[in-house]
Amino acid sequence: MTRFTQEQVDDLNLKIKTAEEALQWVSDNLHPKVAKASSFGAEDAVVMDMMLKINPEFRFFTLDTGRLPQETYDIMDVLRKKYNITIEVLFPDTKEVQDMVKEKGLNLFYESVENRKLCCEIRKVHPMNKMLSTLDGWITGLRREQTKIREDVTMFQIDHGHGGILKINPIIDWTWDQIQEHIKKYDLPYNSLLDKGYPSIGCEPCTRPIKPGEDIRAGRWWWEQGEHKECGLHIERKNED
């Protein structure tokens, strides 16, 4: 397994400035032990298109939690056919889901933050961890302006929460306007929920359209108090070595 030092990562962040440069480096140095994680939002449409223009053999995977909107399944099929690609679909462990639902109910996430985090962990984090354990790096659609938690994220990072693999965030410094402009410029297929007021897309029961003036992630777990809401996939852990 390829591993990078912090010095090497710092050097990459100094030398590589654009999303295309980052993805070209990834293709040259990590493929095929690298893959793009996708929830099929606007950012994913942009990054996927960039990746396939650089390397048609790039890998993509998604987490099918069992609670996704139909529109997300629809765009997955559109992209699969348009680009002639395979999307690796990850599923949660059946017994874990059954035990959770038996004990706490189908809509446990509305009852407490702890329950919601448990549901995210079982349906998303656990299958993600299994996938990332097989890779040297993974590509995201993270952007700094999405949440305050992501303000300090860099284009290249050592992911200490997933065995020290490389985490690549090629559009980290892009704005929402840039994302929309790129989609329009290249006439990219995208999730139809974006036209219904969903700039951030997750599971169907945990995502709503945003209201005028709201933050772009206000529709995620909207019933919870506070600002720093994440599912656990992008929680950074400090290196304890």
Side-chain angles (χ1 to χ4, degrees), residues 125 185 200:
V125 177
K185 179 179 180 180
S200 182

Side-chain angles (χ1 to χ4, degrees), residues 5-178:
T5 66
Q6 189 60 53
E7 183 179 7
Q8 290 173 313
V9 171
D10 290 343
D11 187 56
L12 286 172
N13 282 317
L14 283 173
K15 291 180 177 179
I16 297 178
K17 300 301 181 183
T18 70
E20 289 86 355
E21 290 173 351
L23 293 171
Q24 185 64 62
W25 182 91
V26 170
S27 179
D28 293 341
N29 292 275
L30 295 180
H31 180 73
K33 300 285 285 184
V34 64
K36 167 75 176 72
S38 181
S39 59
F40 301 98
E43 291 85 357
D44 297 311
V46 170
V47 176
M48 177 177 283
D49 186 68
M50 287 182 176
M51 289 174 66
L52 290 169
K53 286 174 180 174
I54 290 169
N55 183 350
E57 301 299 321
F58 259 133
R59 294 171 61 191
F60 303 92
F61 71 91
T62 191
L63 303 168
D64 186 348
T65 63
R67 304 298 298 264
L68 299 181
Q70 181 59 41
E71 290 87 346
T72 298
Y73 295 113
D74 292 342
I75 190 61
M76 286 171 61
D77 268 348
V78 168
L79 293 168
R80 181 176 57 83
K81 294 173 183 177
K82 172 182 172 61
Y83 293 114
N84 191 28
I85 59 173
T86 297
I87 298 172
E88 301 174 54
V89 182
L90 314 182
F91 299 92
D93 180 83
T94 301
K95 187 176 187 308
E96 281 191 303
V97 174
Q98 288 176 335
D99 289 346
M100 175 182 67
V101 170
K102 181 178 180 181
E103 179 183 355
K104 297 181 178 293
L106 284 165
N107 294 320
L108 69 157
F109 32 81
Y110 294 134
E111 297 178 2
S112 70
V113 174
E114 291 73 22
N115 278 1
R116 195 272 293 170
K117 289 183 176 179
L118 174 65
C119 191
C120 287
E121 184 174 349
I122 288 175
R123 293 183 183 273
K124 300 169 86 172
V125 177
H126 289 181
M128 169 74 95
N129 289 346
K130 291 179 182 178
M131 179 65 172
L132 296 188
S133 70
T134 70
L135 301 175
D136 291 336
W138 65 300
I139 302 165
T140 82
L142 293 183
R143 296 184 300 109
R144 288 195 188 96
E145 73 168 17
Q146 287 170 329
T147 70
K148 290 183 178 180
I149 290 177
R150 299 174 182 178
E151 286 179 346
D152 296 325
V153 174
T154 54
M155 187 175 287
F156 292 89
Q157 294 179 291
I158 296 176
D159 190 342
H160 298 296
H162 295 105
I165 67 175
L166 197 63
K167 186 175 181 180
I168 305 98
N169 312 301
I171 58 170
I172 191 64
D173 59 353
W174 283 43
T175 65
W176 180 242
D177 286 343
Q178 284 178 287

